[in-house]
Amino acid sequence: MRATSKINPRALSWNVGAGIGYSFILTIIMALSSLILKGFYPPFQFSIAPVKSLIVSPVEGVVQLLILLVLLAFVFPIRGEIISKELKNVRKLAIFVVVGYLILSLLPYAITTGYIQTYVGLVIAFNIINGVVGGVGSSL
């Protein structure tokens, strides 16, 4: 008898798609926060990686981490048992994608080159990898 997987392929594909989208949204929000902080205090470097920002400019890193925590808090309902059960998969997906974002957002800074196309390509690549890993992780 063949062992079957507990993963629903349709739910997996939706989780992967949502994970990729959420990862790109996190990147856009981190880029906007970095640009806004650079407007108020010009010595900051542009950075979409909160971990790198903590080392280079701690204020920006703390602000980006707080933004990530606020975005993560939106998937945790305060009360209501029914909505809490319905958001279980969304909560797992958000946790996996945010943790993956903290780690994988360092990828564009690990490979240094003078070409902006390489940086943009690495940002796109880490968002896709982060979304796939987050979607698969939340489906298990």
Side-chain angles (χ1 to χ4, degrees), residues 30 33-34 47-50 53 60-68:
M30 292 299 121
S33 70
S34 183
S47 174
I48 58 170
S53 296
E60 183 180 11
V62 169
V63 168
Q64 287 181 338
L65 286 175
L66 287 175
I67 291 171
L68 281 176

Side-chain angles (χ1 to χ4, degrees), residues 53-117:
S53 296
L54 275 174
I55 296 167
V56 175
S57 54
V59 173
E60 183 180 11
V62 169
V63 168
Q64 287 181 338
L65 286 175
L66 287 175
I67 291 171
L68 281 176
L69 287 175
V70 166
L71 290 172
L72 195 59
F74 279 126
V75 296
F76 286 96
I78 296 173
R79 52 190 143 156
E81 188 175 318
I82 295 173
I83 197 157
S84 179
K85 287 180 183 178
E86 290 179 10
L87 288 177
K88 181 181 175 188
N89 288 337
V90 175
R91 192 176 314 127
K92 283 174 52 176
L93 178 67
I95 290 170
F96 275 105
V97 172
V98 167
V99 170
Y101 185 85
L102 286 173
I103 298 165
L104 291 173
S105 64
L106 295 170
L107 181 66
Y109 302 104
I111 301 169
T112 56
T113 182
Y115 300 108
I116 190 70
Q117 296 92 338

Side-chain angles (χ1 to χ4, degrees), residues 9-63:
R10 181 174 287 171
L12 175 65
S13 65
W14 280 104
N15 284 344
V16 168
I20 292 171
Y22 190 58
S23 185
F24 274 106
I25 288 171
L26 290 177
T27 302
I28 292 168
I29 291 172
M30 292 299 121
L32 288 175
S33 70
S34 183
L35 289 174
I36 290 170
L37 284 173
K38 187 165 179 61
F40 286 111
Y41 191 65
F44 284 139
Q45 295 178 355
F46 177 77
S47 174
I48 58 170
V51 175
K52 180 183 180 279
S53 296
L54 275 174
I55 296 167
V56 175
S57 54
V59 173
E60 183 180 11
V62 169
V63 168

